[in-house]
Amino acid sequence: MSTEISASTDTTTRYDRRATARILAGLARPGLFAAHRPAGTMRFEYTATELRPEPGSHLTFSQRLYLERFMRPCPADAVTSASHRMTWVDSAGIPNTGFYRDDGPGPVVPIAARETLLALWRSIEENTGLADRMARLDATALAVLAGTTTDHEPLDIFRVGVESASRALAQHALIAAQTPYRTPGEFACGLRDSGIFTAVATRWFWELQASTYRRGMIPVSLRAEPGGSVRYTAESIATLRAMKEATITDAHRVMARATTEEGLTVPAAIARYHDDLDLISRQYALLPPGEQPSCPAAVVHRDSGANYSVLTEVVRRFVEVFTDLVPCCEPVAVAAREDIGAGPAAAEDRVFYVPDMTCKHCVRTIGGVLESMDIRVVDIDLDSKRVVAEFRSPRNRARAFEALRDGGYNPVGERPEPLRPGSPG
């Protein structure tokens, strides 16, 4: 490899998925992760709350609302919901929200998946060889990443890949009863060997995975195959394809209107319609007509006579570390606090933080939830994740937090440690 990783001689910010795939693969070889350090037993106290579906439905109100607004044409019966939402504090001291089902492997999967994510984030940051290769990226390569990816910075892109693997594992645990796997480690290995992580990367789109994960729902079913592997059902594949095509069509429609009827340039159109195009849809809006999107991490490259992809490396290490950490994670259920009073809210209770508020769509959603409860929103700052609102009482504040959690957000009273990167809204 040369001293600089380059895509071409053009340094103008540009959209190029193939070049992005080559750049990321060049960075990830000869290794993406530093050595994993074994962990001792870790005890995690968690609080579980049973999800309450609407009458005559298996989905909650917020799940149904999201399904109808953003998952067309997915039918309700294609979606599986969690039975419980859980909250806990991870080993980094950061509050988390996750989901599980009574008929699945339980709360240990979200906890161990989160610990695996933290371990691999540290591993990426400690890889001095990777740091050196990132430092040697030339201006052309940086321009391609800036024009093509949502996160731009190579370190953040790789961290997002780990985060996506963590979500995929925890989310598919909601349908673990449809598989022949009976332990969390066996389940993770089974999903890896069956190609489910690859299916998520190629058939889903980012917003669908992030938003359904945060709402405790999954829009696919699995079928067991001879030999012990699992696959998506034909109906699930068709539904995922239809949702992805609808998202691409919407993105192209917004872009076409802006660049023809309104006469805007592409950069001006993206700037004006950022909220409508929102993250992954913005990337789809830039796809040439007729071209299907490919996940850059899933592209297979030939290296030293062998096939290689970034996705394969991330999944391999994720499952390896997860199976190592699962026996070390000890979930302990604790009762939820019930000492929330009805008196006036203290001045300091006006301020809280939402670590998974990552885009303007999140800001609108959080503000809308509070305002729908007649809570005046004073300020929402996206950069600091800080929200200031006028609560009427501690109980009113607690109920607002509960409503936000129903929408997939995780409000906390104290400023959390910085999280990079989060999921889109």
Side-chain angles (χ1 to χ4, degrees):
M1 185 178 295
S2 64
T3 57
E4 289 188 333
I5 299 174
S6 177
S8 73
T9 58
D10 180 12
T11 59
T12 304
T13 299
R14 61 194 182 89
Y15 181 81
D16 191 332
R17 298 180 80 91
R18 291 182 179 275
T20 295
R22 291 194 301 272
I23 294 165
L24 296 178
L27 290 172
R29 293 290 266 179
L32 186 55
F33 303 100
H36 168 59
R37 299 190 297 271
T41 300
M42 297 176 286
R43 186 176 186 270
F44 297 94
E45 294 185 346
Y46 72 92
T47 300
T49 305
E50 187 174 358
L51 295 188
R52 297 179 180 178
E54 289 186 299
S57 172
H58 66 294
L59 302 178
T60 66
F61 171 75
S62 66
Q63 289 172 339
R64 177 183 62 79
L65 204 60
Y66 185 78
L67 173 73
E68 293 174 351
R69 288 183 176 179
F70 302 109
M71 293 174 64
R72 62 179 180 84
C74 180
D77 60 9
V79 177
T80 297
S81 170
S83 62
H84 289 78
R85 182 180 65 245
M86 59 182 289
T87 58
W88 79 100
V89 176
D90 63 31
S91 62
I94 300 170
N96 286 267
T97 297
F99 297 88
Y100 67 92
R101 282 186 61 87
D102 281 335
D103 59 1
V108 71
V109 170
I111 290 173
R114 174 66 183 178
E115 292 304 308
T116 303
L117 176 148
L118 293 175
L120 293 186
W121 277 3
R122 289 192 296 268
S123 179
I124 290 174
E125 292 171 351
E126 293 170 358
N127 186 341
T128 55
L130 174 63
D132 180 63
R133 292 191 293 276
M134 290 190 297
R136 288 188 281 110
L137 282 176
D138 67 10
T140 298
L142 293 173
V144 169
L145 294 181
T148 307
T149 66
T150 299
D151 300 283
H152 304 333
E153 294 296 329
L155 181 64
D156 287 344
I157 295 170
F158 290 128
R159 287 166 59 104
V160 161
V162 173
E163 187 175 26
S164 184
S166 176
R167 280 201 300 260
L169 180 62
Q171 194 170 20
H172 282 76
L174 299 178
I175 51 176
Q178 300 173 6
T179 76
Y181 317 127
R182 292 297 171 258
T183 68
E186 184 182 347
F187 177 73
C189 292
L191 292 190
R192 176 200 62 199
D193 297 342
S194 298
I196 298 302
F197 289 96
T198 301
V200 173
T202 56
R203 296 188 182 277
W204 293 50
F205 53 93
W206 176 273
E207 185 181 354
L208 177 67
Q209 191 206 13
S211 295
T212 53
Y213 167 82
R214 290 193 293 103
R215 288 168 174 81
M217 55 198 291
I218 183 169
V220 297
S221 296
L222 294 168
R223 70 171 191 271
E225 297 284 299
S229 63
V230 295
R231 295 286 186 272
Y232 284 162
T233 63
E235 293 79 9
S236 293
I237 293 173
T239 298
L240 290 171
R241 180 185 301 117
M243 285 192 287
K244 195 169 189 176
E245 289 176 352
T247 301
I248 294 171
T249 299
D250 285 347
H252 281 165
R253 175 182 51 79
V254 171
M255 183 60 71
R257 184 184 69 228
T259 56
T260 56
E261 296 178 17
E262 300 177 31
L264 299 175
T265 63
V266 169
I270 290 174
R272 174 173 294 185
Y273 290 102
H274 173 77
D275 289 345
D276 290 342
L277 295 173
D278 217 13
L279 296 178
I280 192 65
S281 297
R282 178 175 70 86
Q283 306 302 323
Y284 286 168
L286 299 174
L287 277 173
E291 180 178 324
Q292 289 296 309
S294 60
C295 172
V299 173
V300 177
H301 306 269
R302 194 73 176 170
D303 183 70
S304 303
N307 291 335
Y308 171 81
S309 76
V310 176
L311 177 64
T312 300
E313 171 65 8
V314 170
V315 170
R316 182 190 67 79
R317 183 59 69 91
F318 188 92
V319 172
E320 177 185 284
V321 175
F322 177 83
T323 55
D324 178 60
L325 286 177
V326 162
C328 302
C329 296
E330 180 186 348
V332 179
V334 295
R337 286 182 54 196
E338 297 183 357
D339 58 348
I340 299 172
E348 60 268 22
D349 287 342
R350 298 168 69 245
V351 179
F352 66 96
Y353 299 86
V354 186
D356 38 17
M357 175 173 64
T358 57
C359 65
K360 291 182 180 179
H361 175 73
C362 297
V363 171
R364 292 199 311 272
T365 301
I366 291 167
V369 168
L370 297 175
E371 289 169 357
S372 71
M373 301 177 69
D374 293 326
I375 297 169
R376 189 174 78 87
V377 178
V378 178
D379 181 57
I380 302 180
D381 184 70
L382 180 59
D383 292 337
S384 65
K385 320 295 184 186
R386 179 175 178 267
V387 181
V388 182
E390 298 286 358
F391 297 106
R392 296 183 293 278
S393 68
R395 181 171 289 124
N396 179 234
R397 185 176 190 261
R399 287 174 176 167
F401 279 22
E402 190 72 9
L404 290 171
R405 292 188 185 104
D406 281 342
Y409 294 96
N410 183 35
V412 295
E414 297 180 0
R415 183 167 188 163
E417 294 295 324
L419 277 176
R420 296 182 309 164
S423 57

